Amino acid sequence: MIRPRYERPTLIRHVAGMMNKYARVGALKPLSHVDGVPVARLVEQFGSPLFVFSERTIVQRQHELKDALALRFPRSQLAWSYKTNYLDAVCRVFHREGSWAEVVSELEFDKARRLGVPGEQILFNGPFKPESALDKAFSAGARVHLDHFDEILRAERVAERRGLHPKVTMRVNLAVPGTPAWSRFGFNLENGQALDAAKRLRAGGRLELAGLHCHIGTFVQDVDSYRQEAKKLALLANQLQRELGVRVDTIDLGGGLASRNTLHAQYLPGDQVTPSLAQYVEAIAEGLEALDAGAAPPTIVLESGRALIDEAGFLVTTVHATKRLPDGRRALVLDAGVNALVTANWYKHDVVPAQDFAGMPEPTVMYGPLCMNIDVLRDQLLFPPVAPGDRLVFKNVGAYNVTQWMQFIVERPAVVLVSRSGEPAVIRRRESLDTLVSQEELPPWLR
Amino acid sequence: MNVERLRELAISDTGFVFDPYSGFTFSVNETGRFMLQALKAGHAAEAVAAQLAEAFDLTPSDDPSRDVHEFILMLREQQLLPHDDDREG
Amino acid sequence: MRSSPTVAVTGLNATDNPGPGVAVLRALRAAPDFHGRLVGLAYDSLDPGIYHQPLGLSAAYLIPYPSQGLEAMRERLFEIHRQTPFDVLIPTLDSELPSMIALEPELAAKGVHLYLPTREQFDLRSKARLAELGARAGLDVPETRVLSDVRELYDVHKDVPYPFMVKGVFYGAVKVNAVDEAVHAWHQTVAKWGLPVIVQQHYSGEEYDIVAVGDGRGGLIGAVPMKKMLLTDKGKGWAGVAVKDPTLIEMTERFMAASHWRGPCEVEVLRTHEGRSLLLEVNPRFPAWTFLSAGAGQNLPWAVARLALGDAVAPMRDFKAGTMFVRISLDQVTSIDRFEQIASTGAITFEKEKDPP
């Protein structure tokens, strides 16, 4: 006799406005493999929770953006945003495919150099560059993006000491209607600060202004914002040429391109809202049409991080327990929490079971393992019944998690990269008690 | 267990449940429907769990006994079982 | 011309804030040369259109919310198409448009035809880009700001003086007189529709709405302007009358010429007391009062179904001004079996019980 498969029982009261059995179930398909490698095998081999990256997806996304740029611009360059994900292996994949490094601290600069990135292929950005950092950058031939007047002075001092006349890029902030002001970095365009800075650089005679850089925001879903940004930068470049005789060889439009994630304050999911990489590039190209036809066209640089890596990252987690809350919701206790998945604070992360499932989806809240009220990975979603030991996969977690994660209460999980031929390898080991205490000291009187 | 209210429920083959007392309607899955019928017939929790193990194909992680107790909790939540009821038995 | 296509229509939520589906279905049913079948696509088991027998629906199905993602929508539509093949799909809710536009090629491959704007046209009429649209079409528009940060709300009155409207990207508009009201409206809007939020100058005047269909090449197929005569407390028209004013048609034609809009839309115009005609917004779908167009002599839903099927539809300009609609609430009595069927299976077929025509 064939017996029906057992499912955990559900009893769902029909509530007005919630009477749609297709509200979730159709979308939910198990993700049992990452690039052909069974999730179950990954957990068996490397433990749970586990971050898994797909090299194939990283390469493919990067090519998509590179191709879109190459189609529109005679000269273009990607610079991998280190802070988005600076694991050596991930950076190496980007560099192998031709990306430069975009770093925002001395630590990141050193990490890029250690990985063998030539100085000339490093863009050094950010508001905090001590003299030691500027010294390294100029000596290595990196392109420094100047952020404020104090930095111009500091950079001039360093360059003079070294007897160098380095090319520099000026970071500009500008108003794009519809996106929140991003005015804390760089020199403001609208109030004339950027032009003043350009004049100041010329008067200083030590640093050669050769590039413009702007970054309009983060998770920008409206390509029109890039059109406006590009146009304003183009007009500034024209003005610099016309009024100061400064010719920029680089226009860097920063990053901020959205991934397929869905922000908490977003109604339609990312797959319907987020523009394609080609659409972003198209808008940038339209904006840059405002550039005066002159000598050699500048190199167009993008420092996109999230849009290239988010889809390549997965977080595999295991159901530790299930419980029923007094309000009727099902609660899951997972072995990964906000300590590992920082971006749960920003997104309604797409999460699916890693194995076949059955049963009616019901309102579910997903908690992590921390004994902290804030440890919530999804506060409300319709999810089918699962049991302890079942695996879940959070999708689109490649950006910012393995840099912003923290060691808190539990150790940070391992990270695995699945090669293009489908071979998994550890790229960061799971932490241990030794990792935790390796930086600690007991002072003599407490020994 | 006082199953008076359960006896009044209209339970269809599709898993649609209508409570004529409250006017509430519910959906239950196959196992939920099985449990409702068994509890309605007056079987105790452990007996229902044993019947489930008979009737369904279980995997090692399934635990009908845990699920029956949770289901009774859900029925209490929906006031289909009295809150001050004796332990199932 | 195919006279007996099967047409599926979404938005059966004919509640006090009605979706347009029932109106579109009624218009199709009322077209003398339509002899096809109608399928209703609903988001909730209690959508009143499911229970409206005079529509003569062949079947009704639940579909996933657009917020569930493209994949869910695709699968469900294909599944429904397997059970009840349909030739035309008319989505009627703003939030459906991005997914329907994305799915159009795949649906076409299955023989399901839509008559929709392109994504570029759709984006151009987004509330956030009203100023650009106005400039392109040569139409006067109210001062509008698109905000993504609540802090901007404290300064926006320098550009857009109080009172102004706080609008969500998809739906919803609240008039506010001061910053505390604006902040309150902001949070309510963001909670429901997310970012960005649109702030638009408020003018007093008379509002006119035009239901229209564009041919996708800059031409106007047909349009019927309407003045609301009675509003609900939610500001929804409960009665209205078709009006003649040629300016309204002319503005609609300009919008079509500038956008190359393909498909149905609702153009909202404000006639200020000073006599300015402002384009307030363009909704990318039929309005809930669409049935008036059929009554006034332009059956625009039927025109859209025929255009979707590839038929040529000659532009329509005549309609009977003075045609009115007066909405009614009525209680439809049904047995719980029907509710059970749709709630537990997500589908209901009426073929057997269909009333003879």
Side-chain angles (χ1 to χ4, degrees):
Chain A
M1 185 185 78
I2 298 164
R3 295 181 302 172
R5 187 176 152 184
Y6 183 83
E7 291 171 9
R8 299 195 69 178
T10 46
L11 172 82
I12 298 168
R13 173 147 160 232
H14 299 140
V15 184
M18 288 278 292
M19 279 182 252
N20 184 340
K21 62 180 306 208
Y22 291 96
R24 172 73 195 176
V25 65
L28 206 59
K29 276 201 209 136
L31 185 88
S32 56
H33 291 69
V34 174
D35 288 354
V37 186
V39 170
R41 201 186 105 201
L42 288 168
V43 171
E44 208 173 290
Q45 203 173 338
F46 306 105
S48 172
L50 182 70
F51 275 103
V52 182
F53 282 85
S54 154
E55 183 176 359
R56 201 180 293 169
T57 308
I58 302 177
V59 170
Q60 179 223 317
R61 289 292 283 171
Q62 198 184 358
H63 275 264
E64 203 179 319
L65 187 55
K66 257 169 76 171
D67 292 350
L69 285 168
L71 207 63
R72 300 300 308 237
F73 304 108
R75 271 195 281 275
S76 58
Q77 180 62 48
L78 294 180
W80 174 238
S81 156
Y82 263 46
K83 66 176 180 290
T84 311
N85 187 324
Y86 44 53
L87 293 179
D88 280 352
V90 168
C91 295
R92 177 68 52 89
V93 174
F94 278 101
H95 296 319
R96 283 233 169 123
E97 300 296 319
S99 271
W100 291 3
E102 186 250 345
V103 303
V104 293
S105 71
E106 196 170 345
L107 181 77
E108 287 188 358
F109 181 87
D110 291 343
K111 201 162 192 289
R113 293 290 287 148
R114 172 182 153 278
L115 207 56
V117 182
E120 316 80 62
Q121 297 186 5
I122 299 178
L123 308 180
F124 199 151
N125 217 329
F128 182 76
K129 306 180 201 83
E131 291 203 2
S132 58
L134 290 168
D135 190 62
K136 280 181 193 167
F138 287 146
S139 307
R143 179 67 72 92
V144 171
H145 291 204
L146 296 170
D147 189 78
H148 41 72
F149 282 105
D150 288 333
E151 189 162 80
I152 293 180
L153 283 173
R154 193 175 290 126
E156 282 175 344
R157 256 195 331 261
V158 172
E160 196 175 343
R161 218 159 43 217
R162 284 270 173 194
L164 295 169
H165 285 87
K167 284 186 173 183
V168 292
T169 286
M170 172 168 64
R171 177 153 181 176
V172 176
N173 69 67
L174 46 81
V176 175
T179 57
W182 210 262
S183 53
R184 59 172 286 189
F185 304 112
F187 301 90
N188 184 259
L189 177 72
E190 284 82 10
N191 69 8
Q193 204 180 38
L195 192 62
D196 287 348
K199 289 177 182 161
R200 170 66 189 74
L201 282 169
R202 199 179 57 160
R206 176 56 64 179
L207 307 174
E208 184 192 341
L209 177 57
L212 294 177
H213 167 225
C214 176
H215 177 94
I216 50 172
T218 186
F219 216 83
V220 179
Q221 291 170 316
D222 184 2
V223 297
D224 195 53
S225 301
Y226 286 91
R227 189 179 295 119
Q228 298 184 50
E229 177 201 17
K231 187 170 178 188
K232 286 192 170 188
L233 284 179
L235 294 177
L236 176 61
N238 295 346
Q239 189 185 14
L240 292 177
Q241 171 82 57
R242 209 171 48 237
E243 296 180 13
L244 305 180
V246 168
R247 202 194 71 77
V248 299
D249 61 16
T250 308
I251 294 185
D252 181 334
L253 292 116
L257 283 62
S259 71
R260 301 203 139 214
N261 263 309
T262 307
L263 296 169
H264 282 298
Q266 188 178 320
Y267 176 71
L268 284 179
D271 67 357
Q272 290 169 49
V273 179
T274 302
S276 68
L277 296 173
Q279 285 173 304
Y280 282 110
V281 172
E282 184 74 20
I284 290 169
E286 283 171 25
L288 289 176
E289 281 168 11
L291 269 177
D292 284 340
T299 300
I300 304 308
V301 176
L302 278 184
E303 301 166 354
S304 182
R306 184 194 332 254
L308 298 185
I309 190 75
D310 229 2
E311 282 171 45
F314 304 84
L315 174 63
V316 180
T317 169
T318 304
V319 178
H320 178 71
T322 71
K323 54 209 280 189
R324 180 73 55 182
L325 300 183
D327 63 8
R329 279 183 301 170
R330 165 146 359 237
L332 308 183
V333 180
L334 306 177
D335 65 358
V338 292
N339 57 312
L341 194 68
V342 179
T343 51
N345 294 313
W346 312 343
Y347 308 127
K348 295 182 258 192
H349 267 301
D350 196 4
V351 54
V352 296
Q355 57 282 312
D356 285 338
F357 57 90
M360 270 189 278
E362 59 178 328
T364 302
V365 51
M366 295 183 177
Y367 296 130
L370 309 182
C371 191
M372 289 288 287
N373 198 36
I374 53 157
D375 194 17
V376 183
L377 296 182
R378 285 297 306 266
D379 59 352
Q380 172 81 296
L381 81 165
L382 289 167
F383 207 71
V386 286
D390 284 353
R391 320 265 182 229
L392 309 185
V393 182
F394 284 84
K395 298 202 237 177
N396 303 321
V397 304
Y400 292 108
N401 282 307
V402 298
T403 48
Q404 290 192 38
W405 56 355
M406 56 191 153
Q407 186 282 308
F408 177 52
I409 300 183
V410 292
E411 59 277 59
R412 285 181 272 211
V415 185
V416 160
L417 180 72
V418 179
S419 76
R420 273 178 273 189
S421 55
E423 281 308 313
V426 173
I427 59 173
R428 193 178 194 275
R429 289 185 304 277
R430 183 191 180 92
E431 293 181 349
S432 63
L433 182 60
D434 288 341
T435 330
L436 176 58
V437 300
S438 63
Q439 301 301 102
E440 290 189 38
E441 301 277 1
L442 269 180
W445 68 91
L446 292 177
R447 280 183 195 149
Chain B
M1 194 160 27
N2 182 347
V3 296
E4 207 174 296
R5 287 285 298 283
L6 296 186
R7 292 218 173 92
E8 297 289 339
L9 294 179
I11 306 168
S12 80
D13 293 345
T14 58
F16 181 85
V17 180
F18 175 53
D19 175 8
Y21 267 70
S22 63
F24 292 166
T25 57
F26 306 87
S27 289
V28 287
N29 60 355
E30 261 308 292
T31 39
R33 198 166 70 92
F34 187 97
M35 288 187 202
L36 260 188
Q37 301 285 20
L39 292 168
K40 186 172 154 178
H43 298 290
E46 287 318 316
V48 177
Q51 290 166 25
L52 280 162
E54 272 294 299
F56 290 89
D57 186 20
L58 273 66
T59 63
S61 68
D62 291 326
D63 181 354
S65 173
R66 169 197 66 195
D67 292 345
V68 174
H69 285 98
E70 189 182 279
F71 195 71
I72 289 169
L73 216 63
M74 289 192 262
L75 293 173
R76 287 210 187 108
E77 201 58 49
Q78 301 299 343
Q79 270 140 52
L80 294 170
L81 284 176
H83 268 277
D84 53 355
D85 199 26
D86 292 335
R87 303 295 303 159
E88 54 285 341
Chain C
M1 180 176 73
R2 252 186 289 182
S3 62
S4 52
T6 300
V7 184
V9 178
T10 68
L12 304 190
N13 51 324
T15 59
D16 61 341
N17 181 10
V22 168
V24 170
L25 288 162
R26 286 186 72 210
L28 291 170
R29 189 53 84 201
D33 42 359
F34 173 74
H35 305 292
R37 306 195 314 159
L38 296 175
V39 174
L41 303 179
Y43 289 102
D44 195 281
S45 303
L46 278 183
D47 276 357
I50 300 170
Y51 303 89
H52 193 53
Q53 274 164 304
L55 291 178
L57 291 181
S58 298
Y61 294 93
L62 292 181
I63 55 174
Y65 293 101
S67 58
Q68 303 305 323
L70 217 49
E71 182 66 26
M73 184 66 92
R74 175 193 291 119
E75 286 214 353
R76 182 62 182 149
L77 288 177
F78 286 2
E79 170 59 26
I80 292 168
H81 187 258
R82 271 191 293 275
Q83 290 177 33
T84 307
F86 49 95
D87 309 297
V88 177
L89 172 57
I90 305 182
T92 68
L93 305 178
D94 297 40
S95 52
E96 289 171 340
L97 268 286
S99 47
M100 295 295 183
I101 291 169
L103 292 175
E104 186 167 5
E106 287 172 74
L107 285 163
K110 294 212 173 274
V112 177
H113 304 284
L114 293 101
Y115 199 67
L116 296 178
T118 62
R119 185 61 197 244
E120 287 69 34
Q121 293 163 2
F122 176 77
D123 289 340
L124 176 63
R125 58 88 256 165
S126 89
K127 295 183 196 187
R129 290 173 68 186
L130 185 66
E132 186 187 342
L133 175 61
R136 277 211 213 173
L139 293 171
D140 209 357
V141 298
E143 200 61 40
T144 303
R145 288 289 178 276
V146 185
L147 311 184
S148 301
D149 187 330
V150 71
R151 284 173 300 182
E152 298 173 275
L153 206 53
Y154 293 90
D155 280 330
V156 75
H157 64 275
K158 292 173 191 158
D159 300 322
V160 184
Y162 289 108
F164 56 68
M165 307 298 291
V166 175
K167 296 180 161 190
V169 244
F170 290 118
Y171 300 102
V174 188
K175 182 180 160 190
V176 300
N177 298 291
V179 71
D180 51 339
E181 285 177 32
V183 171
H184 182 69
W186 170 283
H187 288 296
Q188 282 188 323
T189 305
V190 169
K192 194 136 194 213
W193 301 113
L195 291 170
V197 169
I198 290 109
V199 166
Q200 192 170 79
Q201 192 167 355
H202 175 266
Y203 291 89
S204 38
E206 296 293 338
E207 193 183 317
Y208 293 87
D209 302 307
I210 302 111
V211 56
V213 175
D215 68 4
R217 298 187 301 274
L220 175 70
I221 294 289
V224 176
M226 179 273 292
K227 173 80 190 87
K228 289 175 187 166
M229 301 168 79
L230 178 63
L231 296 180
T232 66
D233 56 358
K234 285 185 179 166
K236 302 290 157 188
W238 201 256
V241 59
V243 296
K244 195 113 218 173
D245 189 343
T247 323
L248 300 172
I249 301 292
E250 194 195 306
M251 289 178 74
T252 308
E253 284 172 334
R254 281 202 201 183
F255 163 69
M256 294 299 174
S259 67
H260 286 215
W261 189 264
R262 183 174 183 263
C265 64
E266 180 188 28
V267 178
E268 295 184 12
V269 172
L270 189 87
R271 177 70 50 83
T272 69
H273 293 317
E274 298 79 42
R276 285 169 73 189
S277 293
L278 299 167
L279 175 69
L280 290 186
E281 65 180 68
V282 177
N283 297 312
R285 38 82 193 154
F286 279 120
W289 54 273
T290 291
F291 190 63
L292 179 71
S293 76
Q298 292 187 14
N299 194 326
L300 296 177
W302 178 225
V304 163
R306 286 161 59 206
L307 288 162
L309 289 166
D311 297 341
V313 176
M316 300 176 261
R317 285 297 178 275
D318 291 339
F319 62 89
K320 201 163 176 297
T323 311
M324 275 180 62
F325 78 87
V326 185
R327 213 166 265 171
I328 186 171
S329 333
L330 58 86
D331 303 339
Q332 309 179 78
V333 174
T334 185
S335 114
I336 200 165
D337 301 346
R338 182 171 286 207
F339 172 64
E340 175 196 332
Q341 206 181 329
I342 191 89
S344 34
T345 67
I348 182 163
T349 42
F350 301 108
E351 296 289 55
K352 286 177 211 121
E353 53 180 296
K354 200 169 102 184
D355 298 326

